[in-house]
Amino acid sequence: MNHVAPTPEPLAPGPELERARWIAFRYVIAATVILGAAGILGVIMRDSQAGVDRVPDGWFYAIMTAHGLGAFVGWAAFAVMGFAFWVLAQVGFPLTRTAARLADAAWWLMVLGVAGVVVTCLGFKFGASWVFLYPLSFHGAGQWGRWTSFFFSGSVLLAGLSIVVWCLSILTVVLGPALHAVKRSIPNRVGVAIGLGYLAPRRFATNPRPVPYPVIPLTVIALDMIVATLPLAVLLVEMMVQSLTPSVHVDPLLAKNVLWWFGHPVVYLLLFPAVAMLYQLVPKYAGRPLVAGNVISIGWALAVVVNVIIWAHHIYIDYPSGSPQAAINTAMQPLTFSITIVSALSLYSLFFTIYRSRYRWDAAGAAMFLALVAWLLAGLSGVVNATIAFDQVVHNTLWVVGHFHQMALLMIGFVIFAGVYAWLPDLIGKPLYSDAMGRVHVWLTFVLGTANSALWLWQGLHGAPRRFAVLPHQYDNITQAGVPLAIGLGLTQILFAVNIVQTLRGKGVGRVADPKRSRRVVLVALAGGLALAGGSFGWAAGTEATKAWAGSAASAPAGANPALAAGRSIFTSAGCSGCHTLAAAGAHGTVGPNLDQKKPNLALVIARVTNGGKVMPPFKSSLSATQIQEVAAFVVASEGNG
């Protein structure tokens, strides 16, 4: 038996191909619309945390809930779920009528579920976070009521049922006649579909060809998500009952374990179909078979089991006495490390398929390569989360947010972008509007998205908490540095939207663009993105350094910091004491903000002293720039130190 899977022939034109084309198109378009809405919510959150346009706390948490579920499930998962059917068509696995009906039902369930989440969050302020940790849903603090909890749980249940129905549709396709399994028993066919034929070719024999590599991860995730989602569905039904009958309840620790029993595999609902897309597209763009493809079957044989039994690494910090949770959590660490074998083998295979090949560096090709880079980076930060000793430092900090956006937005997102740029013309029969615009979009998104995640990772290492509407004062500078990155990242997606809309309108040029001109456009855009990212980092670093200098000046002996002494003198002589409270200066004014409580950063103090604000007059005409710097340094160094 030949262990090297040949390049499979796509389905010939016919009803099966048309069904796959239409289903994939509907999934991707709906997911892209959800991306736009979720992205806007993300920018609003970033601006609010930075104090640019603060939203009330209740609305912040409602927006956070809608953004999380919308971006994660409604966009990333939904898009790759749709592309999965097109991948199967590309490797000769037809979408039968039964599978198409199931796929259609999954589409409607997901759309209705996401719509319900948006309505309950943005219409009725449900803000228990997108993981709705039990029993938080029933403690709305006056922000939402029991009926809102009921309908939110029902909406998430619809999305969960969509996932289960999609899994059944995938299994209907992959276990069908196109599998070419010699034995007809279901267990044997499942073994063939998850790639065991590459490890035991006689026991899991196929004829005339082995299972195509893209089929393997799709089969694995379809099996895993059925096992993972059904317990969550039971919990959601219980939560709906509890919303109406408060006397009904379950053990919170059990509920948390059930949630993460689903919560970890659902991450792979994004990753595994994305890997199937890479297995299909990278060899095509490199013009050669997948390198060491038969070896990766080892990882998939491991993943199909381990993927659903490593949930507890999400709750390492839960060690209640008298429960087995500590032992469970400890067992999760080596098991979690083992699942990285799938990523390691796949990255090795895909990178070396590209290495020394005639790889096509158009928009889709660049997106795939950058997806691999983001996958590697996100995997490294994920190892930190998976290690108990490290997780104690970064658990529930913005490190997790940085890791997650690096994985979901960059790795999964870039695979989705690659799928759109590579396959949208095939799905609608029209050429891509602009490959050059696509490349600008891809590279800018990578630079700005990576910088955005890096800020979160940095804040997380320094203890910045996640899921806070207002972060502690010491993280303000880095948070504010993230605002231009978030806005730039959002604006960059307009290029993606324009490209899609114009392609749908049939405005594509239908010819290959001048490569030299395209490279110049990409380089200019890349330079702009790097300048924006570098400027944001530089501003944050400079502000932090100045603040650190002011703090060190405050702790030095009075005679050792004449600038600080001068600042105190100016604070008194300029009349600041009459309006502000600052205990270190002996000031107890009530007209302006209490500086000991507000703790404004250096940049804000300089701006207010210079230009004034509300009832505060400007001092730029009565104080020199040096004096303004000195009084600002004194204020920042003295906040809360009285």
Side-chain angles (χ1 to χ4, degrees):
M1 192 75 181
N2 185 5
H3 288 208
V4 178
T7 302
E9 292 294 330
L11 292 174
E16 291 89 357
L17 185 63
E18 288 306 311
R19 280 195 288 266
R21 188 194 310 276
W22 173 236
I23 289 290
F25 176 74
R26 286 176 60 199
Y27 272 71
V28 172
I29 293 300
T32 303
V33 172
I34 295 171
L35 168 65
I40 292 172
L41 296 179
V43 173
I44 292 173
M45 290 169 58
R46 198 73 156 133
D47 289 353
S48 179
Q49 281 189 321
V52 175
D53 190 11
R54 186 86 70 190
V55 299
D57 291 355
W59 282 115
F60 178 90
Y61 295 119
I63 290 171
M64 179 183 71
T65 304
H67 166 76
L69 275 169
F72 184 79
V73 179
W75 169 56
F78 204 25
V80 295
M81 287 163 64
F83 273 130
F85 297 112
W86 189 243
V87 169
L88 291 174
Q90 293 295 297
V91 297
F93 279 64
L95 187 63
T96 62
R97 287 191 177 90
T98 299
R101 292 191 185 99
L102 290 170
D104 189 60
W107 188 90
W108 280 107
L109 287 168
M110 183 64 77
V111 169
L112 292 174
V114 172
V117 167
V118 171
V119 170
T120 52
C121 292
L122 303 186
F124 299 94
K125 294 179 71 173
F126 183 88
S129 100
W130 67 288
V131 293
F132 52 92
L133 293 173
Y134 183 93
L136 186 58
S137 297
F138 308 110
H139 300 278
Q143 300 297 309
W144 69 87
R146 62 175 184 168
W147 281 106
T148 302
S149 297
F150 176 88
F151 284 111
F152 176 84
S153 298
S155 300
V156 178
L157 179 62
L158 290 177
L161 292 176
S162 169
I163 293 171
V164 172
V165 173
W166 176 83
C167 293
L168 294 175
S169 179
I170 292 294
L171 292 177
T172 300
V173 175
V174 299
L175 299 180
L179 186 63
H180 298 297
V182 172
K183 298 179 181 179
R184 295 186 177 183
S185 69
I186 294 298
N188 185 270
R189 298 182 74 82
V190 169
V192 171
I194 64 174
L196 296 184
Y198 292 102
L199 304 177
R202 292 185 179 179
R203 183 175 181 82
F204 298 96
T206 57
N207 186 32
R209 62 182 174 89
V211 61
Y213 296 126
V215 172
I216 299 173
L218 293 176
T219 307
V220 169
I221 197 58
L223 294 170
D224 284 352
M225 286 313 302
I226 292 175
V227 175
T229 307
L230 293 179
L232 177 71
V234 174
L235 175 62
L236 288 167
V237 171
E238 186 281 332
M239 292 175 66
M240 295 174 69
V241 172
Q242 187 173 343
S243 298
L244 305 180
T245 310
S247 60
V248 176
H249 63 276
V250 297
D251 178 74
L253 185 58
L254 173 62
K256 183 177 284 191
N257 277 273
V258 169
L259 170 66
W260 289 117
W261 175 267
F262 164 84
H264 183 81
V266 78
V267 175
Y268 290 92
L269 176 63
L270 279 62
L271 178 60
F272 289 2
V275 175
M277 294 169 64
L278 292 172
Y279 285 174
Q280 175 64 13
L281 281 171
V282 169
K284 178 181 178 181
Y285 271 63
R288 61 197 290 190
L290 195 65
V291 170
N294 57 322
V295 177
I296 61 177
S297 59
I298 299 172
W300 293 112
L302 182 68
V304 72
V305 176
V306 176
N307 187 34
V308 291
I309 59 173
I310 56 174
W311 77 96
H313 67 222
H314 290 272
I315 46 179
Y316 275 155
I317 64 170
D318 291 337
Y319 289 112
S321 60
S323 82
Q325 193 70 45
I328 293 173
N329 290 356
T330 303
M332 292 302 105
Q333 181 169 290
L335 288 172
T336 302
F337 290 157
S338 71
I339 199 70
T340 62
I341 295 174
V342 179
S343 297
L345 291 176
S346 293
L347 283 169
Y348 171 86
S349 176
L350 292 164
F351 271 127
F352 276 94
T353 301
I354 295 173
Y355 182 64
R356 289 189 175 180
S357 71
R358 296 181 177 273
Y359 192 72
R360 286 164 43 194
W361 290 97
D362 58 9
M368 283 186 285
F369 177 78
L370 294 175
L372 297 179
V373 175
W375 188 2
L376 177 61
L377 295 175
L380 294 175
S381 63
V383 170
V384 173
N385 302 340
T387 306
I388 294 176
F390 295 153
D391 186 69
Q392 290 177 333
V393 177
V394 301
H395 189 86
N396 269 342
T397 70
L398 287 177
W399 173 278
V400 180
V401 179
H403 160 73
F404 197 74
H405 280 77
Q406 206 166 29
M407 189 68 192
L409 173 63
L410 296 182
M411 191 278 164
I412 307 299
F414 276 109
V415 176
I416 294 171
F417 295 147
V420 170
Y421 289 132
W423 286 329
L424 183 60
D426 295 334
L427 294 178
I428 64 175
K430 298 175 182 178
L432 184 66
Y433 172 65
S434 173
D435 185 74
M437 181 182 290
R439 278 186 279 177
V440 170
H441 160 247
V442 165
W443 282 100
L444 269 180
T445 299
F446 180 79
V447 171
L448 298 178
T450 302
N452 191 50
S453 288
L455 289 179
W456 274 321
L457 292 171
W458 177 262
Q459 287 180 304
L461 282 177
H462 289 78
R466 67 188 294 206
R467 303 191 185 115
F468 270 42
V470 181
L471 290 172
H473 168 68
Q474 62 264 36
Y475 305 110
D476 286 350
N477 294 326
I478 302 295
T479 302
Q480 290 163 4
V483 171
L485 294 178
I487 293 174
L489 189 59
L491 292 176
T492 300
Q493 305 320 302
I494 295 176
L495 299 175
F496 180 61
V498 169
N499 223 345
I500 290 180
V501 171
Q502 293 294 81
T503 300
L504 294 176
R505 295 179 62 203
K507 299 296 183 178
V509 293
R511 59 182 174 81
V512 178
D514 178 10
K516 291 184 178 180
R517 181 181 179 185
S518 296
R519 279 195 294 271
R520 286 195 296 269
V521 172
V522 171
L523 287 174
V524 170
L526 189 57
L530 289 171
L532 179 58
S536 298
F537 276 99
W539 178 85
T543 306
E544 286 291 316
T546 305
K547 188 173 180 180
W549 169 82
S552 63
S555 62
N561 53 100
L564 200 60
R568 176 170 182 158
S569 176
I570 296 168
F571 187 89
T572 302
S573 63
C576 304
S577 300
C579 294
H580 297 283
T581 292
L582 185 64
H588 302 284
T590 58
V591 177
N594 184 323
L595 299 176
D596 286 322
Q597 294 178 353
K598 292 294 184 180
K599 297 182 178 180
N601 60 41
L602 186 68
L604 181 58
V605 176
I606 291 174
R608 287 289 184 268
V609 174
T610 303
N611 302 312
K614 295 184 179 179
V615 299
M616 179 175 175
F619 287 85
K620 57 186 176 183
S621 59
S622 57
L623 296 177
S624 67
T626 300
Q627 289 175 315
I628 292 175
Q629 289 278 352
E630 288 173 342
V631 72
F634 167 71
V635 169
V636 172
S638 304
E639 294 164 352
N641 292 330

